[in-house]
Amino acid sequence: MNHPQESDPFASIRPYHDAEVPAVIAGLARDPAFARSLSLIRLPRTSALWPWLARRIVQAWLVRQAREVRSIEEFQNLVEPQLSQIIERTSQFTIGGLAALDPKQCYVFVSNHRDIAMDPAYANYALKRAGHRTSSVAIGDNLLKEPWISDVMRLNKSFIVRRELKGPRELLAASKQLAGFIRHMVIDDRGPIWIAQREGRAKTGIDVTEPAVIKMLALSRSKGEEVGRVLQSLKIVPLSISYELDPCDGMKAAELVAGAGYIKAEGEDIASIGQGIAGEKGRVHLEFGTPIVSDDLSIESVVAEIDRQVIEHYALFPSNVWAWERLNGVSLDGLIDYRRAGSVTHQAIFDARIAAIPDDQQKWVLAMYANPVNSLLARGL
């Protein structure tokens, strides 16, 4: 009898398959930690007054879903109305560039990274609404502290990036497994991929691709295969996501002020995910770029092209301009030739937002909003 890892080399990191869905949901229904967390989201008032009752209601609902939801697509259809409500309640969302992409093709979407959960959520929401298949999403194992979190994410087409490894051999083996899974998905037409251009969020607002990410993708090459051929086969498409307001700006600033010695509190990543989902975002724009498929690709050329497209497609909001002008003491008029996206936030509201942040963190938050302007200025745009 074959072990799962022998018959499926990606079993430990891939999203769940349809046949696994009912058993996973049934397991979640029996998990008290998951029931407690879900009840706080679905039944906040009941949870505050009668937490035991809220958990019972949620567990009964999960038992029904285990009987009715038989596939990943059905699970995503179950989640979509709630995601749609969150997006409509917390943002005005616009999309560009998607019409130029073939819905029958599998791409590797490489995105700038500002929010743990919402960056890929906006991308998949856009893809689904446009008739494309939703993407499988890379998520670091540092975020999967509880088994139920891993189960929920893998039900929602997430695959695991193993970061918490120590030995170089383990890291290399994990990177090769990850690269092999991504290429398997694209080459075998199993669906697109979403991956961030760097490990962790760009808390400073500076969007730069880590070469290590592209080097990892190239590890899927077979013996004697050229790196350029591998990168071309992946059909890499840069994504640029822009937020008028960042719900986690204060939390990011506190981490930046503390510097390298900062130690995250227990549950801090989960709190960031919750704040990013529920917090006000103003306008959000997602721009799909052009596939990088030339005949002479290299690690360096792909990194440069992702950076170029992410920066050039960034939708500049008035909040970015206000922050830059406040830090530099001059008007931006005449210094930049770039369309300014509309705003749903008045400057007085933005100024009050900054004023509410501790004094030692305000410059960090302003820089976070201003740095997209600096990135465009550096390119002469």
Side-chain angles (χ1 to χ4, degrees):
M1 181 177 180
N2 289 332
H3 294 290
Q5 191 67 20
E6 293 173 352
S7 57
D8 181 355
F10 311 118
S12 62
I13 64 168
R14 62 163 171 76
Y16 287 125
H17 289 162
D18 287 345
E20 299 167 314
V21 169
V24 174
I25 295 179
L28 287 170
R30 296 189 296 269
D31 189 322
F34 177 63
R36 182 170 58 252
S37 298
L38 188 59
S39 66
L40 292 172
I41 297 172
R42 291 182 61 85
L43 303 169
R45 293 182 180 178
T46 307
S47 294
L49 297 172
W50 304 289
W52 62 270
L53 176 60
R55 288 196 297 272
R56 287 286 184 87
I57 293 171
V58 163
Q59 285 178 314
W61 177 79
L62 284 167
V63 169
R64 289 198 305 273
Q65 298 310 317
R67 292 195 294 264
E68 297 173 3
V69 176
R70 316 297 297 181
S71 69
I72 296 296
E73 183 176 6
E74 289 178 358
F75 179 81
Q76 290 197 317
N77 289 339
L78 180 70
V79 172
E80 185 188 11
Q82 297 174 58
L83 175 61
S84 180
Q85 290 175 11
I86 290 167
I87 287 175
E88 291 176 6
R89 186 175 68 247
T90 67
S91 64
Q92 290 187 10
F93 183 41
T94 54
I95 307 158
L98 186 52
L101 298 179
D102 184 352
K104 296 180 181 179
Q105 292 287 323
C106 292
Y107 302 99
V108 175
F109 298 112
V110 181
S111 176
N112 63 331
H113 194 22
R114 299 303 177 82
D115 186 86
I116 295 171
M118 291 309 296
D119 291 353
Y122 276 113
N124 272 342
Y125 183 80
L127 289 168
K128 188 171 180 62
R129 289 299 178 93
H132 290 245
R133 285 174 288 180
T134 54
S135 61
S136 295
V137 174
I139 182 168
D141 61 357
N142 58 301
L143 299 174
L144 307 178
K145 300 298 186 184
E146 299 286 343
W148 68 262
I149 299 176
S150 177
D151 282 341
V152 170
M153 298 306 292
R154 293 177 73 184
L155 281 171
N156 202 28
K157 292 179 75 171
S158 290
F159 59 96
I160 299 170
V161 180
R162 298 177 67 195
R163 291 175 178 156
E164 299 195 342
L165 298 172
K166 296 181 180 178
R169 289 186 179 180
E170 284 184 305
L171 286 169
L172 179 59
S175 296
K176 286 184 174 180
Q177 182 189 36
L178 180 61
F181 169 74
I182 291 171
R183 194 174 190 192
H184 158 72
M185 291 292 291
V186 174
I187 297 300
D188 291 352
D189 194 34
R190 294 180 178 269
I193 294 288
W194 182 97
I195 190 168
Q197 69 179 157
R198 49 167 290 150
E199 180 180 331
R201 294 166 292 167
K203 300 180 183 72
T204 60
I206 300 173
D207 297 315
V208 179
T209 305
E210 286 184 352
V213 172
I214 309 306
K215 289 178 182 177
M216 177 277 295
L217 294 175
L219 288 176
S220 63
R221 67 184 182 276
S222 56
K223 186 176 181 180
E225 188 176 18
E226 294 182 358
V227 169
R229 181 68 178 271
V230 177
L231 296 174
Q232 184 184 55
S233 72
L234 293 175
K235 297 189 287 290
I236 294 170
V237 174
L239 283 190
S240 186
I241 190 163
S242 321
Y243 293 83
E244 182 178 4
L245 299 174
D246 184 339
C248 297
D249 50 13
M251 299 173 75
K252 291 177 181 178
E255 187 172 340
L256 291 169
V257 167
Y262 184 79
I263 300 175
K264 288 184 179 180
E266 184 70 26
E268 187 170 335
D269 282 329
I270 301 303
S272 292
I273 291 173
Q275 183 66 20
I277 291 171
E280 175 61 34
K281 305 167 187 67
R283 283 198 58 197
V284 177
H285 183 75
L286 181 65
E287 188 75 20
F288 289 80
T290 303
I292 305 174
V293 291
S294 69
D295 293 331
D296 57 347
L297 297 180
S298 64
I299 302 294
E300 295 76 17
S301 67
V302 170
V303 168
E305 181 61 12
I306 293 171
D307 287 349
R308 183 190 71 80
Q309 290 197 38
V310 165
I311 291 169
E312 292 186 11
H313 291 158
Y314 196 94
L316 210 61
F317 294 112
S319 55
N320 304 115
V321 176
W322 297 329
W324 189 92
E325 291 179 340
R326 183 163 165 181
L327 284 174
N328 290 276
V330 297
S331 172
L332 195 58
D333 290 337
L335 295 179
I336 193 166
D337 181 19
Y338 190 77
R339 65 179 179 85
R340 295 187 183 184
S343 175
V344 295
T345 303
H346 297 295
Q347 185 168 1
I349 295 175
F350 181 74
D351 289 343
R353 181 188 187 92
I354 300 300
I357 293 170
D359 291 346
D360 65 331
Q361 299 174 16
Q362 289 183 12
K363 284 191 176 181
W364 291 93
V365 174
L366 288 169
M368 192 183 306
Y369 285 101
N371 275 328
V373 178
N374 288 325
S375 296
L376 286 163
L377 287 172
R379 289 180 174 265
L381 298 170

